């Protein structure tokens, strides 16, 4: 699962016994060589979908990590793209990618980075688009209402909160049991060790997430990502959730 440039088992163990913030600070230099980085195929599919629904002026990558999602924002946003994360180590790696300025022809958006907790965003009505990739396992279900309220506040009226979701594996799949085992191990770890390391792959359920988004004031649409095909029952293997903040009343 890991390339030779990725973390060793010992490094992963040290990370897993740290807090979420400290753990990602430690993992940051090798994060892009792990399966935890969002695959380019997902980023490309989301970019294509957002180009079709745009254009957008200002975008925010929520929990941006090492900045892979900023490639999506720089492709679909015209003015500004900001990455926000609470791990200083991950932001250092993101800055090192060299996305700090618009292109030489002046057409690209201006890129910047902000260290902040996604549950206390320092923005109000600042963005037309907020995206996030692979971060929601770090939030407990009870934290989602406050998180979605923060995103709603950061968006301008009519703005979009977009993120991909993959259909859950079926119980007959080895992946199902692998994820169940991981979540079980994390729950045991958190019962025995402090501070907790919040990372649960099976806690982010689309039906519950949709209800919480609607309660936060979003209108939710699910767009299939055709690049990933369909399951045996004809349902999409992957979707893009597009949650839109209502326009201001006239």
């Amino acid at each position: 699962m890991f390339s030779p440039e990725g973390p060793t088992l010992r490094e992963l163990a040290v990370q897993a016994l740290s807090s979420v913030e400290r753990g990602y600070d430690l993992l940051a230099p090798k994060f892009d060589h792990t399966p935890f980085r969002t695959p380019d195929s997902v980023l490309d599919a989301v970019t294509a979908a957002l180009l079709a629904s745009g254009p957008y002026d200002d975008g925010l990558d929520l929990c941006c990590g090492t900045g892979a999602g900023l490639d999506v924002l720089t492709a679909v946003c015209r003015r500004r793209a900001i990455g926000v994360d609470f791990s200083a180590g991950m932001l250092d790696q993101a800055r090192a990618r060299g996305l700090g300025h618009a292109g030489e022809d002046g057409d690209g958006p201006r890129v910047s980075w902000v260290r902040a907790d996604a549950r206390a965003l320092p923005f109000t009505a600042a963005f037309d688009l907020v995206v996030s990739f692979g971060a929601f396992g770090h939030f407990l279900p009870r934290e989602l209402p406050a998180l979605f309220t923060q995103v709603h506040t950061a968006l301008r009226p009519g703005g979009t909160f977009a993120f991909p979701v993959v259909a859950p594996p079926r119980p007959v799949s080895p992946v199902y049991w692998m994820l169940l085992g991981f979540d079980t191990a994390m729950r045991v770890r958190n019962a025995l060790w402090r501070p907790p390391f919040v990372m649960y792959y099976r806690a982010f359920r689309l039906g519950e997430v949709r209800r919480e988004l609607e309660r936060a004031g979003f209108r939710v649409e699910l767009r299939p990502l055709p690049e990933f095909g369909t399951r045996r029952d004809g349902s999409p293997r992957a979707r893009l959730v597009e949650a839109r903040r209502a326009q201001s009343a006239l």
Side-chain angles (χ1 to χ4, degrees), residues 71-157:
D71 292 333
V72 175
L73 293 184
T74 56
V76 304
C77 294
R78 298 179 292 195
R79 186 166 58 198
R80 183 177 55 148
I82 294 178
V84 63
D85 203 282
F86 78 158
S87 165
M90 297 291 269
L91 289 175
D92 286 343
Q93 295 299 311
R95 292 187 185 97
R97 298 180 71 233
L99 289 175
H101 303 282
E104 292 181 1
D105 56 5
D107 290 338
R110 177 169 53 87
V111 175
S112 58
W113 312 93
V114 174
R115 187 182 180 196
D117 192 322
R119 295 163 295 189
L121 292 173
F123 308 109
T124 300
F127 301 99
D128 309 293
L129 174 66
V130 175
V131 298
S132 193
F133 298 94
F136 295 118
H138 293 303
F139 300 96
L140 297 172
R142 66 175 180 268
E143 296 177 306
L144 292 181
L147 175 67
F148 294 160
T149 297
Q150 287 290 304
V151 175
H152 190 274
T153 299
L155 283 165
R156 299 182 180 114

Side-chain angles (χ1 to χ4, degrees), residues 50 56 60 62 128-133 136 144 147-149 151-152 155 158-163 204 209 213 218-221 240-245:
L50 292 175
Y56 303 94
L60 176 72
L62 187 72
D128 309 293
L129 174 66
V130 175
V131 298
S132 193
F133 298 94
F136 295 118
L144 292 181
L147 175 67
F148 294 160
T149 297
V151 175
H152 190 274
L155 283 165
T160 298
F161 179 29
F163 52 89
F204 193 73
V209 167
L213 285 167
F218 289 101
R219 186 181 76 253
V220 181
E221 297 179 9
L240 183 67
V241 176
E242 290 188 344
R244 290 185 176 84
R245 177 176 173 170

Side-chain angles (χ1 to χ4, degrees), residues 146-183:
L147 175 67
F148 294 160
T149 297
Q150 287 290 304
V151 175
H152 190 274
T153 299
L155 283 165
R156 299 182 180 114
T160 298
F161 179 29
F163 52 89
V165 293
V166 178
R170 299 183 184 282
V172 295
S173 167
V175 175
Y176 174 92
W177 295 102
M178 181 183 71
L179 296 180
L180 178 62
F182 181 91
D183 282 8

Side-chain angles (χ1 to χ4, degrees), residues 2-7 11 29-31 33:
F2 296 90
S3 71
E5 297 84 7
E11 288 171 330
K30 298 183 178 181
F31 179 82
H33 301 287

